[in-house]
Amino acid sequence: MRRAPLACLPLLLALLTGGAVASQQYEPLADSVRAALHRAISDRPAPESAGGASAERQLWLNTMSERLTKRMPDEAGRMEFLKAVHYEATRAGLDPQLVLGLIQVESGFRKYAVSSAGARGYMQVMPFWVKLIGNEESNLFHLRTNLRFGCTILRHYLDIEKGNLFRALGRYNGSLGKAEYPNLVRGAWERHWSWPGLSASNP
């Protein structure tokens, strides 16, 4: 049996475990920051209201749906997922393709994924965030809730790091300063989800 090259081992580890080894770390938040993040989590308009049904958005949905078919065979569920990703990422000022890359590394697109540290759902959100900025009805296994929390948290880390994606991803994974996780996410993003047709602001 051929052995995988050493350079591939981090990616294989992430794929086999369904996510990254580390997890988001609790950090005390100023009251004003908690309030702002709570407002961001609580505002929940319908996904269809963002971006309308533009031809570009529909082309993005169709393209990403085709790429995601093997991981999510159910077409209706796949389209619901992609619409929610597009909406929540765009709403948070993130590139939807980046979010897809992060989800691939974090959960392997498994809705009910739970890490050894207790992180939950597609974007592997730690439960302490519910107490910090959510409410008792926040279910991290719910599609929109998980994406809303995950995108809001990543945006928060990007703001803290003044747009430095490498450091923001490190914070998201609880491995600030280490290259493995940011490189995994960027690699998944660029290899599987990059699409120049989308006019979206990069973080």
Side-chain angles (χ1 to χ4, degrees), residues 70-151:
K70 289 184 179 178
R71 293 180 172 91
M72 287 187 174
D74 177 63
E75 184 178 5
R78 189 168 68 245
M79 290 302 286
E80 178 187 10
F81 170 80
L82 287 169
K83 286 177 182 178
V85 167
H86 186 279
Y87 173 74
E88 295 297 343
T90 303
R91 179 183 182 277
L94 302 173
D95 187 321
Q97 290 91 247
L98 162 63
V99 173
L100 287 171
L102 185 148
I103 291 172
Q104 179 179 331
V105 171
E106 285 288 349
S107 67
F109 296 95
R110 291 181 297 121
K111 181 176 183 177
Y112 297 107
V114 179
S115 76
S116 58
R120 299 177 182 179
Y122 289 118
M123 295 188 74
Q124 290 291 276
V125 177
M126 288 294 288
F128 70 75
W129 283 106
V130 172
K131 295 180 180 179
L132 275 178
I133 60 175
N135 57 55
E136 59 185 19
E137 297 179 0
S138 300
N139 179 357
L140 293 177
F141 291 120
H142 182 270
L143 169 63
R144 294 272 321 284
T145 300
N146 190 271
L147 295 176
R148 173 65 56 89
F149 270 79
C151 289

Side-chain angles (χ1 to χ4, degrees), residues 8-27:
C8 296
L9 290 180
L11 178 58
L12 288 173
L13 177 62
L15 293 175
L16 289 172
T17 58
V21 176
S23 61
Q24 297 140 12
Q25 302 296 309
Y26 172 80
E27 298 177 39

Side-chain angles (χ1 to χ4, degrees), residues 158-179:
L158 274 164
D159 291 342
I160 289 176
E161 296 296 344
K162 298 178 172 56
N164 186 317
L165 181 60
F166 179 88
R167 288 182 61 83
L169 287 172
R171 283 186 179 274
Y172 191 92
N173 176 247
S175 58
L176 181 61
K178 298 179 181 179

Side-chain angles (χ1 to χ4, degrees), residues 6-58:
L6 289 177
C8 296
L9 290 180
L11 178 58
L12 288 173
L13 177 62
L15 293 175
L16 289 172
T17 58
V21 176
S23 61
Q24 297 140 12
Q25 302 296 309
Y26 172 80
E27 298 177 39
L29 300 175
D31 289 344
S32 59
V33 175
R34 287 183 63 175
L37 291 174
H38 177 73
R39 285 194 300 273
I41 294 295
S42 300
D43 177 26
R44 300 178 61 81
E48 293 293 347
S49 67
S54 70
E56 183 181 52
R57 177 172 172 268
Q58 191 58 51

